[in-house]
C-alpha cells in the first residue's frame, strides 16, 4: 500500500470508504456469477466495470498526480497496471480482487495511521473557546483569542484553563495531565504558572495572562508535534528512496519476466498473467509503510506522556545514545534552591541581602530565585541595580548608587581580585553551594544555598542504566564538594562527575564523550543551551514554560520527571526494534511471494492476499507502540 501518509490529513482516511463498499458490491456480484450460476453477461460485465472504476480510479489518480507533480512512480501505479494486465488476459475477476483488497487495506491503513497521529488533535479539542475576563470590577465572558498578556481571568473549579498565566490570587489543585502526562494533581499557589488546557480542580483562581493564545504552551506543543510528524526520520527517507527506485525496478522486472516467458514459448496470456502476479508479489508496500507506522505511533504515544520529540530523527538517535550527560542545577536538582546561611562582612545581613537580591532581580538562574525569595521572606527590599550583565556559570555584575558590584562563585571572586578572609574559610570548605558578593576587590559577604535532589532523579538514572545506557555523567558549574555530595546521593561514581565547568567546558566534554558513541545532554536551558544544541540528542527538562530550552533541545520533557526520560529512551529502543522487525518481515514476505510467483505458479489472488495482509500486519505491529508506554501507573 503506498498512499503517502506523511502528507495527508487525518480526515482523509475516511474518504475511501464508499469506494471500498462499491468495489466490494461489484465484486460480490462477480463472485456470485463465478460460483453459483451464470448471471446475464451484461450484469457481470457491468459489475466488473464498477469494481474496476471504484477500486482503480483513486489509485490511478494518485499515481498520475505523483508522476506529474513530483516525477515519481508510486506503488499505486503498479497495482493499477497489474489489474489491467490481469483484465486483458481474461482474469478480470482477479484484477477486481486486487483492486478491492488494495482499497480495503488502504482504508484500514489510513485509519490506523490517523490514530497514530491523533495525540495532538485531542489536545486541540481541550482548548476552551472562551474565558471569564475580570475587568473594572466585573466578570465578562470573552473569546480566548482576544486575551492579551496582563489581562486578568477568573478560573472556576472544574473548568479548563483557557490561557497560560500566573496565579495572582487563590490556591488550588490543577490536573496537568494533558500537558505533562502526570496524573497526580499539583497544588498551585500565588505566583505559580498555569497552562492552557489543564484542569483547575478545586480552587477559585485569579490568573494574569502571561502569553497570548498563539504563544501558549499548548500552541507550541501542537506546532512541535505537527512539525515532528512532517519531518522524516532517516530510515523513513530511506524507505521512500528505496520505494521509488524499487517501484521502477519492479515495473522493469515484470516487463522483463514477460519478455523472457514469451521467449520461452509461453502464450502471451499466460506470460502476462505471470508478469502481473510478479508485479503484485514484488510490490514494496509493506516495506514502505514499515517505518512511518512505527515512528508515528511512537511520536503519538510519547506526546501523550508529556515527552515531545522534534521529529522521528530525534527518536531514532535517542535509541542509539551511549552516554547521558546531565546538568546538575535545575535538572538533577529541583532548581528550587534555598538560602541556608548568610555571612555579611560589613554592615548587617539585611543590607547585604538587599544588595545581592537587587543584583539578582532579573536573573533566571535558580540561585537568583533563592536569593530573591530569601529577601522577600525577611521583608527586605532589593536595592536598585543597573547595567546588570550575567557571566554564565560564574555570577552576575552590575552598578548600584555607589558603583560596580558583583555576586558569584569562587572563580568570579578570584577574577575580581577579592581574597578570602579567615572567617569565611569554614563556609568555603563545606559542601554547600557558596555565593560571594563584593564591590571590586572588596568582599562584602557570602551566602550558602542548598538545592534538593529531584525525587525522581535517583530512580531515573538507575532506570537508564538498567535500560542499557553505557555511561552517565553529571556536569556542573558548581564546586567539586557540592558536586560530590549530590553525585553520591544519586549513586554516581567519582568518574561520572565533572565540576567547576563553564558552559563552553560542557560543550567540550560532550564532544569528548561523543567519541565513544552518541551523547544525550539533559539540561534546563540555563547556562547549558550550547551543550543541549551540541549533543546528538538535547533533552530539555520541565519545559512547560521555558522557551530557551524548547528551542535548543531535540526532546522536551514537559514534566519535571526524570523517570520519563528512561521511559522515552526505552520507547525509542522499542521503536527501533519494531522497525527492524517490520523491515525483516516485509522484505522476507516479499521474497517468499516473488519466489512463489517465479517458480511455483502462485495464483494472482494469493499474491494479492499475501501482499495486502503483510502490509496490514506491519502497520498493526507499528501501532503496538501506541499503547502508552511512557505514562507510568499513578
Ligand atoms: P549547573 O551547571 O550546576 O547548572 P551553572 O553553570 O548554572 O550550574 O552555575 C555554576 C555556578 O555559577 C553556580 O553554582 C554559582 O556559583 C555560579 N552562578 C551562576 N549564575 C549565578 C548567579 N546568577 N548568581 C550567582 N552565582 C551564579
Ligand atoms: Mg543548570
Amino acid at each position: 500500500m503506498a498512499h503517502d501518509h506523511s502528507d495527508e490529513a487525518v480526515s482523509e482516511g475516511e474518504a475511501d470508504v464508499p469506494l471500498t463498499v462499491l468495489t466490494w458490491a461489484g465484486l460480490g456480484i462477480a463472485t456470485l456469477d463465478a460460483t453459483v450460476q451464470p448471471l446475464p453477461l451484461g450484469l457481470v460485465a457491468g459489475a466488473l466495470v464498477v469494481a474496476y472504476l471504484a477500486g482503480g480510479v483513486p489509485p490511478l489518480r494518485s499515481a498520475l498526480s505523483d508522476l506529474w507533480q513530483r516525477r515519481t512512480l508510486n506503488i499505486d501505479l503498479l497495482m493499477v497496471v497489474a489489474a489491467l494486465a490481469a483484465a486483458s488476459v481474461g482474469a478480470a475477476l482477479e484484477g477486481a480482487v486486487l483492486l478491492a483488497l488494495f482499497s480495503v487495506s488502504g482504508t484500514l491503513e489510513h485509519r490506523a495511521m490517523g490514530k497514530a497521529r491523533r495525540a495532538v488533535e485531542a489536545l486541540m479539542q481541550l482548548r476552551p473557546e472562551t474565558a471569564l475576563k475580570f475587568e473594572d470590577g466585573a466578570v465578562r465572558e470573552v473569546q480566548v483569542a482576544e486575551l492579551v498578556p496582563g489581562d486578568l481571568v477568573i478560573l472556576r473549579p472544574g473548568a479548563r484553563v483557557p490561557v497560560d498565566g500566573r496565579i495572582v490570587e487563590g490556591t488550588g489543585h490543577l490536573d496537568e495531565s494533558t500537558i505533562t502526562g502526570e496524573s497526580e494533581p499539583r497544588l498551585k499557589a500565588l505566583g505559580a504558572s498555569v497552562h492552557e488546557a489543564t484542569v483547575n480542580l478545586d480552587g477559585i483562581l485569579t490568573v494574569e495572562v502571561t502569553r497570548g493564545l498563539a504563544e501558549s504552551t499548548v500552541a507550541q506543543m501542537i506546532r512541535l508535534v505537527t512539525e515532528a510528524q512532517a519531518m522524516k526520520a532517516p530510515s523513513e527517507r530511506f524507505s521512500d528512496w528505496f520505494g521509488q527506485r524499487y517501484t521502477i525496478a519492479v515495473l522493469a522486472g515484470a516487463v522483463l519476466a514477460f519478455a523472457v516467458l514469451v521467449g520461452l514459448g509461453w502464450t502471451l496470456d499466460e506470460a502476462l498473467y505471470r508478469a502481473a502476479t510478479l508485479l503484485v508479489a514484488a510490490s514494496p508496500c509493506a516495506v514502505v509503510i514499515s517505518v512511518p507506522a512505527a515512528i508515528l505511533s511512537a511520536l503519538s504515544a510519547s506526546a501523550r506522556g508529556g515527552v515531545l520529540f522534534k521529529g522521528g530523527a530525534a527518536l531514532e538517535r535517542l535509541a542509539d545514545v551511549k552516554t547521558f550527560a546531565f546538568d546538575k542545577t535545575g535538572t538533577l536538582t529541583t532548581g528550587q534552591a534555598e538560602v541556608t546561611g548568610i555571612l555579611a562582612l560589613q554592615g548587617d545581613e539585611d543590607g547585604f541581602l538587599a544588595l545581592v537580591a537587587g543584583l539578582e532581580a532579573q536573573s533566571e538562574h535558580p540561585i537568583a530565585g533563592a536569593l530573591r525569595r530569601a529577601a522577600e521572606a525577611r521583608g527586605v527590599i532589593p536595592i536598585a541595580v543597573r547595567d546588570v550583565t550575567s557571566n554564565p556559570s560564574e555570577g552576575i555584575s552590575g552598578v548600584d548608587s555607589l558603583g560596580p558590584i558583583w555576586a558569584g562563585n569562587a572563580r568570579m571572586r578570584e577574577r575580581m581580585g577579592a581574597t578570602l578572609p579567615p572567617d569565611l574559610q569554614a563556609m568555603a570548605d563545606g559542601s554547600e553551594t557558596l555565593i560571594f558578593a563584593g564591590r571590586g576587590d572588596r568582599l562584602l559577604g557570602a551566602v550558602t544555598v542548598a538545592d534538593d535532589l529531584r525525587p525522581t532523579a535517583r530512580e531515573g538514572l538507575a532506570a537508564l542504566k538498567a535500560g542499557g545506557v553505557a555511561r552517565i555523567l553529571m556536569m556542573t558549574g558548581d564546586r567539586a564538594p557540592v558536586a560530590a555530595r549530590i553525585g553520591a546521593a544519586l549513586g554516581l561514581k567519582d568518574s561520572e562527575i565533572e565540576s567547576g565547568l563553564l558552559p563552553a567546558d560542557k560543550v567540550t566534554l560532550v564532544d569528548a564523550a561523543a567519541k565513544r558513541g552518541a551523547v544525550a545532554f539533559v539540561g534546563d536551558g540555563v547556562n547549558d543551551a550550547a551543550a543541549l544544541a551540541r549533543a546528538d540528542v538535547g533533552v530539555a527538562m520541565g519545559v512547560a514554560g521555558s522557551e530557551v530550552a524548547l528551542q535548543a533541545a531535540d526532546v522536551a520533557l514537559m514534566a519535571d520527571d526524570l523517570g520519563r526520560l528512561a521511559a522515552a529512551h526505552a520507547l525509542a529502543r522499542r521503536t527501533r526494534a519494531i522497525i527492524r522487525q517490520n523491515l525483516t518481515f516485509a522484505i522476507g514476505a516479499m521474497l517468499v511471494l516473488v519466489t512463489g510467483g517465479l517458480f511455483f505458479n502462485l495464483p494472482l489472488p494469493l499474491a494479492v492476499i499475501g501482499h495486502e495482509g503483510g502490509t496490514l500486519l506491519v502497520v498493526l505491529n507499528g501501532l503496538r507502540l501506541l499503547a502508552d508506554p511512557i505514562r507510568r501507573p499513578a
Side-chain angles (χ1 to χ4, degrees):
M1 196 71 7
H3 302 272
D4 197 332
H5 301 272
S6 49
D7 299 343
E8 286 170 54
V10 179
S11 55
E12 283 182 35
E14 270 76 338
D16 295 347
V17 176
L19 293 177
T20 308
V21 172
L22 260 182
T23 317
W24 278 110
L27 200 62
I29 301 175
T31 316
L32 256 185
D33 166 60
T35 53
V36 186
Q37 47 175 258
L39 288 173
L41 200 63
L43 187 58
V44 174
L48 282 174
V49 167
V50 169
Y52 265 77
L53 288 180
V57 169
L60 186 64
R61 267 181 36 200
S62 116
L64 289 181
S65 92
D66 263 14
L67 194 60
W68 199 248
Q69 285 165 9
R70 303 194 218 164
R71 313 237 159 263
T72 57
L73 287 177
N74 69 20
I75 300 172
D76 296 28
L77 188 70
L78 294 188
M79 294 299 134
V80 176
V81 170
L84 290 177
S88 71
V89 298
L93 185 59
E94 270 110 322
V97 173
L98 167 62
L99 291 176
L101 280 185
F102 187 65
S103 71
V104 170
S105 81
T107 305
L108 291 179
E109 234 176 77
H110 260 286
R111 294 225 160 154
M113 298 298 273
K115 192 169 167 197
R117 197 187 295 262
R118 251 182 283 256
V120 207
E121 250 184 33
L123 205 53
M124 280 193 259
Q125 279 158 14
L126 296 177
R127 310 176 82 181
E129 303 248 307
T130 60
L132 298 175
K133 184 175 174 186
F134 184 72
E135 206 175 22
D136 308 326
V139 175
R140 199 161 56 83
E141 187 162 356
V142 298
Q143 293 293 315
V144 175
E146 291 170 18
L147 292 170
V148 293
D151 285 351
L152 293 180
V153 294
I154 306 288
L155 303 186
R156 286 189 302 215
R160 283 212 184 265
V161 178
V163 284
D164 279 10
R166 206 162 43 82
I167 299 181
V168 291
E169 203 183 319
T171 48
H173 289 87
L174 282 113
D175 173 353
E176 300 196 307
S177 58
T178 42
I179 290 192
T180 63
E182 187 67 66
S183 50
E184 194 84 351
R186 275 196 155 193
L187 182 64
K188 298 217 169 184
L190 187 71
S193 56
V194 297
H195 301 289
E196 188 194 351
T198 59
V199 182
N200 169 26
L201 294 175
D202 48 18
I204 296 178
L205 308 175
T206 309
V207 167
E208 183 190 328
V209 178
T210 51
R211 277 188 287 195
L213 194 62
E215 280 83 45
S216 74
T217 306
V218 169
Q220 287 186 20
M221 281 177 77
I222 291 173
R223 215 174 297 144
L224 255 180
V225 177
T226 340
E227 280 169 10
Q229 290 181 339
M231 276 193 295
K232 294 197 167 166
S235 59
E236 211 170 341
R237 276 200 296 269
F238 169 75
S239 64
D240 281 358
W241 176 89
F242 176 79
Q244 173 57 20
R245 298 274 149 14
Y246 190 80
T247 305
I248 297 171
V250 169
L251 261 182
V255 171
L256 186 71
F258 174 73
V260 169
L261 291 175
V262 172
L264 287 175
W266 290 42
T267 67
L268 283 185
D269 279 8
E270 277 170 354
L272 203 53
Y273 183 87
R274 201 88 322 253
T277 309
L278 278 175
L279 205 58
V280 175
S283 285
C285 298
V287 177
V288 170
I289 198 84
S290 285
V291 182
I295 298 246
L296 275 183
S297 302
L299 289 179
S300 229
S302 62
R304 261 187 291 137
V307 179
L308 304 187
F309 285 90
K310 282 195 187 159
L315 186 72
E316 291 194 335
R317 281 201 306 272
L318 187 63
D320 287 331
V321 166
K322 299 278 178 295
T323 305
F324 271 90
F326 290 86
D327 174 50
K328 176 181 75 74
T329 314
T331 304
L332 293 172
T333 66
T334 59
Q336 296 298 310
E338 250 179 86
V339 170
T340 50
I342 301 178
L343 193 110
L345 295 172
Q346 270 140 32
D348 64 349
E349 288 184 3
D350 283 0
F352 176 64
L353 200 56
L355 178 121
V356 183
L359 252 177
E360 302 278 10
Q362 303 301 328
S363 170
E364 59 174 352
H365 201 279
I367 290 174
L371 294 166
R372 286 196 298 266
R373 280 193 299 276
E376 205 176 295
R378 292 180 175 219
V380 168
I381 313 269
I383 62 165
V385 179
R386 59 194 161 80
D387 298 339
V388 176
T389 48
S390 111
N391 307 53
S393 295
E394 274 191 10
I396 198 162
S397 55
V399 181
D400 73 353
S401 55
L402 297 177
I405 48 173
W406 55 268
N409 59 12
R411 195 192 330 242
M412 181 101 177
R413 175 178 60 73
E414 277 160 25
R415 208 157 50 77
M416 292 296 165
T419 48
L420 192 67
D423 17 351
L424 268 175
Q425 195 61 52
M427 234 179 178
D429 288 341
S431 64
E432 283 190 307
T433 303
L434 185 60
I435 311 299
F436 300 98
R439 197 177 283 289
D441 62 3
R442 197 154 52 93
L443 197 64
L444 296 177
V447 185
T448 50
V449 174
D451 190 0
D452 286 333
L453 278 190
R454 281 195 194 282
T456 52
R458 198 186 160 97
E459 287 170 50
L461 296 194
L464 276 176
K465 280 188 178 165
V469 172
R471 208 150 74 106
I472 305 263
L473 284 175
M474 178 171 93
M475 299 184 180
T476 178
D478 211 341
R479 302 152 54 223
V482 187
R485 176 171 56 83
I486 301 275
L490 287 168
L492 294 179
K493 297 190 285 277
D494 283 351
S495 60
E496 296 173 317
I497 301 171
E498 300 280 354
S499 57
L501 305 174
L502 292 173
D505 300 331
K506 293 184 184 174
V507 175
T508 312
L509 281 173
V510 165
D511 279 343
K515 296 205 175 73
R516 301 204 207 169
V519 182
F521 187 90
V522 191
D524 61 353
V526 181
N527 293 347
D528 51 25
L532 276 177
R534 175 62 69 91
D536 296 291
V537 183
V539 184
M541 282 284 294
V543 173
S546 140
E547 254 110 307
V548 216
L550 204 58
Q551 293 292 329
D554 304 299
V555 183
L557 306 182
M558 303 306 284
D560 293 328
D561 177 1
L562 278 165
R564 299 286 166 87
L565 182 63
H569 180 244
L571 176 73
R573 293 188 143 208
R574 254 197 316 275
T575 308
R576 185 175 64 182
I578 285 193
I579 287 176
R580 286 182 183 165
Q581 280 168 16
N582 273 358
L583 286 175
T584 313
F585 172 78
I587 293 172
M590 210 164 70
L591 288 178
V592 169
L593 289 176
V594 170
T595 313
L598 277 177
F599 305 114
F600 298 99
N601 256 346
L602 180 78
L604 180 58
L606 260 188
V608 171
I609 289 170
H611 171 251
E612 300 299 342
T615 308
L616 276 183
L617 275 183
V618 162
V619 171
L620 292 178
N621 194 36
L623 239 47
R624 288 197 296 146
L625 290 167
L626 265 186
D628 207 358
I630 285 204
R631 196 174 313 203
R632 300 186 308 173

